Amino acid sequence: MKIAIAGATGTVGRHAARVAEQRGHEVVGLSRSLGTDLVSGNGLEEILHGVDAVIDVGNVQTTSTAASVDFFRTTSANLLAAEKSAGVRHHIALSIVGIDPVDSGYYAGKLEQERVVSAGEVPWTILRATQFHEFAEQTLARTTFGPFVLMPVATLQPVASAEVATSPVSLAEGEPRGRAADLGGPRVESLVDMARRYVRAAGIRKPVVPLRAPGALFSAMHRGALLAGVGATLGSQTFNEWLEERTRAGRLAGPDHAGGRPD
Ligand SMILES: NC(=O)c1ccc[n+]([C@@H]2O[C@H](COP(=O)([O-])OP(=O)(O)OC[C@H]3O[C@@H](n4cnc5c(N)ncnc54)[C@H](OP(=O)(O)O)[C@@H]3O)[C@@H](O)[C@H]2O)c1
């Protein structure tokens, strides 16, 4: 098959591209660094000629409702319009488990993406996954102030992004199915504990201080509302196993731990 991957250079996208190539598919990567801007949509229709399925794992790093909604609405609409013209038979989008009651900030954009895809004319599959193991690392990059790491009290079911990446490729190989079964990690974890284990492994000498964070996202996470529910498919790599793998590979954030993403 010929599969286009929107966001092919991202956390999930680069694994998805590798998996698709290993399975013998021809992969067309779409990202700004590969020469395609999904916000402008310029040249998309030509690029998608001959493509059988599009996997959308593109992303924007923002906590702004307006910016997130704008990005996911525009990029999804541009992809779907080009796919329709080019005769693409299947659009697969990766979304997030449990976001329905959190219609604000970054998650409002994910709900908008789901609305655009499910109302569109290209047959579709939406796969929702829980937070990736990288979530604690991304959160502490934004919540370290001076000598402290302030960590929201939250309950998650984190999953390996490499495992998540296999699913959209398998879905692309099959027929469009609407909402696919949710995908979650093997264990429910406390975000504070994840952050403490991460900080210890990375040699960051700062105490992790639990706090009740404001806002709809962390309120939902505090209630455990973003956990994989009954019927979800579960990945196998635990957070500890992921952390050991990253430690062995020397890929933990240093004491400045810059970067991080909002999802
Ligand atoms: N992280 C999580 O915990 C989590 C959990 C469940 C679901 N998800 C979903 O998984 C998806 C992928 O997330 P991720 O963390 O893998 O993303 P990521 O690492 O932030 O990667 C984003 C990708 O999108 C591309 N991109 C951004 N703006 C673009 C634009 N204007 N035009 C073309 N390409 C653009 C980036 O490449 P360039 O910069 O080169 O353009 C990059 O390849 C997202 O939709 C996210 O909501 C994430």
Side-chain angles (χ1 to χ4, degrees):
M1 288 178 70
K2 191 168 176 182
I3 301 176
I5 301 180
T9 54
T11 308
V12 174
R14 58 178 180 268
H15 290 300
R18 176 180 45 77
V19 170
E21 277 164 3
Q22 282 169 351
R23 292 186 184 181
H25 301 303
E26 184 182 344
V27 173
V28 180
L30 309 174
S31 78
R32 290 166 300 182
S33 53
L34 297 174
T36 306
D37 187 344
L38 297 168
V39 172
S40 76
N42 290 339
L44 263 182
E45 189 184 326
E46 294 73 43
I47 295 169
L48 293 182
H49 270 293
V51 164
D52 299 293
V54 170
I55 293 172
D56 184 6
V57 286
N59 195 26
V60 65
Q61 298 182 21
T62 183
T63 53
S64 151
T65 300
S68 182
V69 167
D70 194 38
F71 177 85
F72 285 109
R73 179 189 289 150
T74 304
T75 56
S76 298
N78 285 344
L79 276 170
L80 292 171
E83 289 168 28
K84 185 165 181 277
S85 305
V88 174
R89 295 194 300 271
H90 191 179
H91 179 97
I92 299 107
L94 181 61
S95 191
I96 304 174
V97 167
I99 55 176
D100 309 86
V102 197
D103 198 353
S104 68
Y106 176 78
Y107 285 17
K110 297 304 294 178
L111 284 168
E112 180 63 13
Q113 177 183 25
E114 292 190 357
R115 280 191 279 270
V116 171
V117 170
S118 56
E121 294 178 60
V122 178
W124 53 274
T125 303
I126 293 173
L127 169 69
R128 284 179 165 189
T130 56
Q131 286 67 41
F132 304 155
H133 290 321
E134 287 86 349
F135 189 83
E137 177 182 66
Q138 293 162 0
T139 304
L140 76 88
R142 296 195 313 276
T143 61
T144 299
F145 300 101
F148 300 109
V149 177
L150 303 179
M151 194 52 57
V153 176
T155 307
L156 347 169
Q157 195 166 343
V159 64
S161 55
E163 290 180 338
V164 171
T166 303
S167 294
V169 178
S170 301
L171 290 168
E173 292 165 342
E175 294 300 313
R177 55 167 79 178
R179 269 286 297 278
D182 289 352
L183 181 56
R187 285 190 194 162
V188 173
E189 305 270 7
S190 141
L191 180 59
V192 171
D193 288 347
M194 288 166 69
R196 287 190 172 135
R197 281 176 264 163
Y198 187 95
V199 161
R200 201 176 312 122
I204 298 168
R205 297 179 186 283
K206 295 183 182 184
V208 174
V209 180
L211 94 161
R212 270 299 298 275
L217 167 61
F218 282 109
S219 166
M221 283 190 174
H222 185 254
R223 295 195 306 275
L226 305 191
L227 302 180
V230 178
T233 306
L234 300 186
S236 62
Q237 188 184 45
T238 64
F239 177 73
N240 277 355
E241 288 165 351
W242 172 85
L243 193 55
E244 283 162 16
E245 187 180 279
R246 290 279 288 244
T247 306
R248 277 197 303 276
R251 289 184 55 227
L252 295 180
D256 325 334
H257 42 73
R261 281 182 283 270
D263 48 341

